[in-house]
Amino acid sequence: MRILRNTLVLLAGCLAMSAVSADGAGGPAPNFTLPTRSGQSVSLKDLKGDVVMVNFWATWCGPCRQEMPKLEALYERYHDLGFTLLGVNVEQDPSGVPKFLKQTPVSFKILLDTHNKVSQAYKVVAMPTTVLIDRKGNVRYVHHGYQPGYVNDYQTEVRKLLLE
């Protein structure tokens, strides 16, 4: 686990790049069903018709800590317009999630990918990784890593997809 974490941290630094725009070429987003912390199941297929942001994160990820409050503000601003944000924690042992969320509270759903099946399906190579899915269920934008200013890109992309 430590090797995986260190590799992901290194990749996050190396791959902290601008968004890769799929512009429809990304094809359908892989469907998934994951539990919330309370055990409720959330399925991506049930969110078709919404613009969906899937943010893969971990409690040990420094950039995730910086990004999370900004994601919360984005969610609060657009969720009434058909925008759903899912935070997918990728840790095999999610015992640190409650403490993290107490320090950095969010109102969007936090899902647990303890077997990393969803992060593998989305080819997550850096923490955090953010995927934007259009109302038809197609991957439109992928962001690897996080740098200040990315949230401005997210907002522009969310607005664009909401208007489609």
Side-chain angles (χ1 to χ4, degrees):
M1 184 65 179
R2 180 172 286 228
I3 293 171
L4 174 63
R5 178 175 55 160
N6 291 341
T7 301
L8 288 173
V9 169
L10 286 172
L11 285 171
C14 294
L15 295 174
M17 60 182 94
S18 300
V20 174
S21 173
D23 287 326
N31 187 43
F32 60 84
T33 300
L34 286 174
T36 63
R37 294 185 311 132
S38 64
Q40 172 191 6
S41 290
V42 174
S43 293
L44 182 63
K45 68 180 179 180
D46 295 337
L47 300 172
K48 202 166 192 176
D50 282 358
V51 171
V52 179
M53 176 181 278
V54 182
N55 177 262
F56 295 91
W57 67 282
T59 59
W60 48 260
C61 168
C64 300
R65 288 183 183 277
Q66 294 172 357
E67 181 182 52
M68 197 69 78
K70 292 171 176 47
L71 293 177
E72 174 64 13
L74 187 68
Y75 175 69
E76 287 179 3
R77 180 176 224 170
Y78 295 106
H79 80 274
D80 287 338
L81 300 173
F83 172 64
T84 298
L85 199 158
L86 303 173
V88 178
N89 180 273
V90 300
E91 295 168 90
Q92 291 176 351
D93 176 8
S95 61
V97 171
K99 181 180 177 184
F100 179 96
L101 293 175
K102 186 173 184 180
Q103 295 170 348
T104 310
V106 296
S107 59
F108 54 85
K109 290 188 188 309
I110 298 296
L111 310 179
L112 305 175
D113 185 22
T114 57
H115 298 291
N116 295 119
K117 291 182 180 181
V118 177
S119 57
Q120 288 172 5
Y122 280 83
K123 298 176 175 62
V124 172
V125 295
M127 283 291 117
T129 291
T130 303
V131 179
L132 268 163
I133 302 165
D134 67 21
R135 294 181 189 271
K136 295 178 183 177
N138 295 307
V139 173
R140 295 289 294 275
Y141 301 96
V142 179
H143 296 261
H144 300 284
Y146 173 74
Q147 291 182 355
Y150 275 20
V151 173
N152 295 332
D153 295 339
Y154 300 164
Q155 182 168 293
T156 299
E157 294 159 2
V158 167
R159 284 180 183 170
K160 178 182 175 187
L161 295 177
L162 286 170
L163 291 172
E164 290 182 354

